[in-house]
């Protein structure tokens, strides 16, 4: 009978542990790599290869039609010292990131707080509000947005009802970039869902105790909600920043970089160099510069997070 008893650590001591052959094979690291194999194959065959090739091409003159010709660092030197369009696209992109990320996060947090209520039909409302984010980067939505903010679009038709004659918002250099910022803010669904999950993890006892002490709703938001949500805010902040730096479809479809290059974002310039002028080496250098810029901005965000991100397990702000 003893041979049939399955012994576990801590329950029966001083006796040899019996392993089940069927289960013991899953203790091998091979099992983990087996489950990871689809991702590993995709990464090494479809991702790592193009990454390394683009790094090589960034040091060459390559047009897809001719063999790459080694230039060394000439592409990078030309971009950083002679390319005025590069500087303009960087300026536009930084402005877009500076305005779109805060607007998107604020909208996502406010809507998440509204949806964090136990009311009838709340699941339906959450689904409907999240739905635009599923199609937000599509060409169809970009065309719709273009029509909404055109001279005869919905915005101007609504303004005409109160006697205001609007302009073509996407044809004005002062407002064109703002329409793209609004579109990015409209796509807050993913950040909203993450904020909503974080709100549900905040203990209700904290709000009840603060109410007993006479704290107002605003004071509860500043002293409880924001600190407890700060790690999630950091995650959404980083994700939104990276996505904003890579924005392309909306600017390409809605404004095509105009008017007067006021919406000519960085990735549009990269796209034009690669697929309009077929300067693949130059475009590869632009891509790696963008990677460095995103990495530096992300590192800056993480470096400053120790001053405003609260980690409960550490008993205070990030360390």
């Amino acid at each position: 009978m003893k041979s049939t008893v399955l012994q576990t650590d801590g329950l029966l001591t001083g006796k040899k542990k019996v392993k089940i052959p069927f289960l013991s094979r899953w203790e091998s690291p091979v099992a983990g790599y087996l489950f990871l194999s689809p991702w590993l194959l995709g990464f090494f065959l479809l991702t790592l290869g193009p990454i390394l090739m683009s790094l090589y091409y960034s040091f060459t003159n390559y047009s897809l039609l001719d063999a790459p010709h080694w230039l060394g660092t000439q592409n990078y030197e030309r971009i950083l010292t002679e390319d005025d369009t590069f500087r303009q696209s960087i300026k536009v992109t930084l402005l877009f990131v500076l305005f779109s990320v805060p607007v998107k996060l604020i909208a996502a947090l406010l809507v998440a707080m509204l949806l964090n209520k136990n009311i009838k039909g709340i699941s339906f409302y959450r689904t409907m509000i999240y739905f635009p984010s599923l199609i937000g980067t599509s060409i169809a939505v970009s065309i719709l947005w273009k029509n909404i903010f055109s001279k005869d679009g919905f915005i101007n038709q609504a303004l005409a009802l109160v006697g205001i004659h609007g302009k073509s918002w996407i044809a004005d250099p002062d407002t064109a970039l703002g329409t793209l910022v609004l579109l990015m803010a409209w796509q807050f669904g993913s950040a909203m869902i993450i904020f909503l999950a974080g709100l549900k993890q905040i203990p209700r006892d904290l709000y009840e105790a603060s109410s007993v002490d006479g704290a107002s709703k605003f004071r509860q938001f500043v002293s409880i909600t924001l600190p407890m949500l700060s790690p999630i805010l950091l995650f959404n902040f980083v994700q939104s920043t990276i996505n904003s730096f890579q924005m392309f479809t909306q600017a390409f479809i809605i404004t095509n970089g105009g008017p007067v290059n006021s919406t000519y974002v960085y990735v549009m310039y990269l796209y034009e160099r690669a697929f309009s002028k077929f300067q693949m080496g130059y475009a590869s250098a632009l891509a790696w510069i963008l990677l460095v810029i995103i990495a530096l901005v992300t590192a800056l965000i993480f470096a400053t997070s120790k001053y405003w991100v609260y980690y409960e397990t550490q008993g205070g702000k990030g360390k």
Side-chain angles (χ1 to χ4, degrees):
M1 293 296 293
K2 291 184 178 180
S3 60
T4 62
V5 177
L6 299 180
Q7 302 176 10
T8 59
D9 294 338
L11 295 179
L12 298 177
T13 60
K15 298 182 180 180
K16 185 178 180 180
K17 180 180 177 181
V18 178
K19 293 184 177 181
I20 303 176
F22 175 76
L23 297 178
S24 62
R25 63 180 179 176
W26 298 107
E27 296 179 6
S28 171
V30 176
Y33 289 112
L34 180 63
F35 284 111
L36 284 173
S37 59
W39 182 89
L40 292 174
L41 289 174
F43 175 75
F44 285 108
L45 298 180
L46 303 177
T47 303
L48 184 60
I51 289 175
L52 296 178
M53 290 302 296
S54 71
L55 180 60
Y56 167 70
Y57 289 145
S58 70
F59 295 99
T60 66
N61 180 17
Y62 180 47
S63 64
L64 286 179
L65 302 177
D66 301 319
H69 175 67
W70 183 261
L71 296 177
T73 60
Q74 291 184 27
N75 285 332
Y76 292 96
E77 293 173 1
R78 180 181 172 190
I79 292 171
L80 297 175
T81 61
E82 303 177 10
D83 196 337
D84 293 333
T85 308
F86 163 77
R87 286 188 283 271
Q88 171 65 17
S89 64
I90 283 289
K91 177 183 176 181
V92 172
T93 303
L94 290 176
L95 283 174
F96 177 77
V97 173
L98 182 64
F99 287 101
S100 65
V101 173
V103 171
K104 179 179 180 179
L105 293 181
I106 291 172
L109 180 56
L110 292 178
V111 174
M113 293 180 66
L114 291 175
L115 295 179
N116 190 32
K117 307 290 184 182
N118 293 322
I119 61 176
K120 186 177 180 180
I122 191 64
S123 298
F124 172 78
Y125 299 138
R126 291 170 181 169
T127 302
M128 290 299 99
I129 292 176
Y130 177 73
F131 182 74
S133 295
L134 298 177
I135 58 174
T137 57
S138 67
I139 294 177
V141 170
S142 297
I143 294 175
L144 175 63
W145 207 260
K146 181 177 181 178
N147 293 331
I148 289 175
F149 287 94
S150 64
K151 180 66 176 179
D152 300 322
F154 172 78
I155 297 298
N156 287 338
Q157 292 177 11
L159 292 175
L161 296 177
V162 294
I164 300 176
H165 299 285
K167 56 185 177 180
S168 178
W169 304 94
I170 60 176
D172 189 333
D174 295 330
T175 58
L177 188 63
T179 62
L180 300 182
V181 171
L182 290 177
L183 178 55
M184 178 64 70
W186 182 64
Q187 302 166 13
F188 61 77
S190 298
M192 180 267 294
I193 289 294
I194 297 173
F195 276 134
L196 183 58
L199 288 171
K200 291 187 174 299
Q201 299 302 315
I202 300 177
R204 305 305 305 176
D205 296 344
L206 298 178
Y207 293 104
E208 295 173 359
S210 63
S211 297
V212 172
D213 292 337
S216 63
K217 293 295 183 182
F218 178 77
R219 184 62 181 177
Q220 290 178 346
F221 175 76
V222 173
S223 300
I224 299 176
T225 305
L226 280 182
M228 297 298 289
L229 276 182
S230 56
I232 294 176
L233 179 60
L234 173 63
F235 174 81
N236 279 334
F237 189 17
V238 172
Q239 287 291 104
S240 298
T241 301
I242 294 174
N243 292 336
S244 294
F245 268 108
Q246 300 178 80
M247 194 272 287
F248 167 74
T249 303
Q250 300 92 324
F252 183 74
I253 298 298
I254 298 174
T255 62
N256 196 28
V260 199
N261 289 339
S262 60
T263 60
Y264 196 63
V265 292
Y266 191 96
V267 179
M268 277 198 65
Y269 181 45
L270 192 158
Y271 171 85
E272 180 183 302
R273 284 287 186 171
F275 300 106
S276 295
K277 298 182 179 180
F278 298 102
Q279 298 176 353
M280 287 296 176
Y282 200 86
S284 296
L286 287 171
W288 278 92
I289 290 175
L290 178 60
L291 174 64
V292 172
I293 293 173
I294 293 176
L296 291 176
V297 172
T298 303
L300 178 63
I301 294 173
F302 276 104
T304 59
S305 66
K306 62 182 179 180
Y307 300 108
W308 55 274
V309 177
Y310 175 89
Y311 294 105
E312 188 176 3
T313 57
Q314 296 178 347
K317 295 183 178 180
K319 298 179 181 179

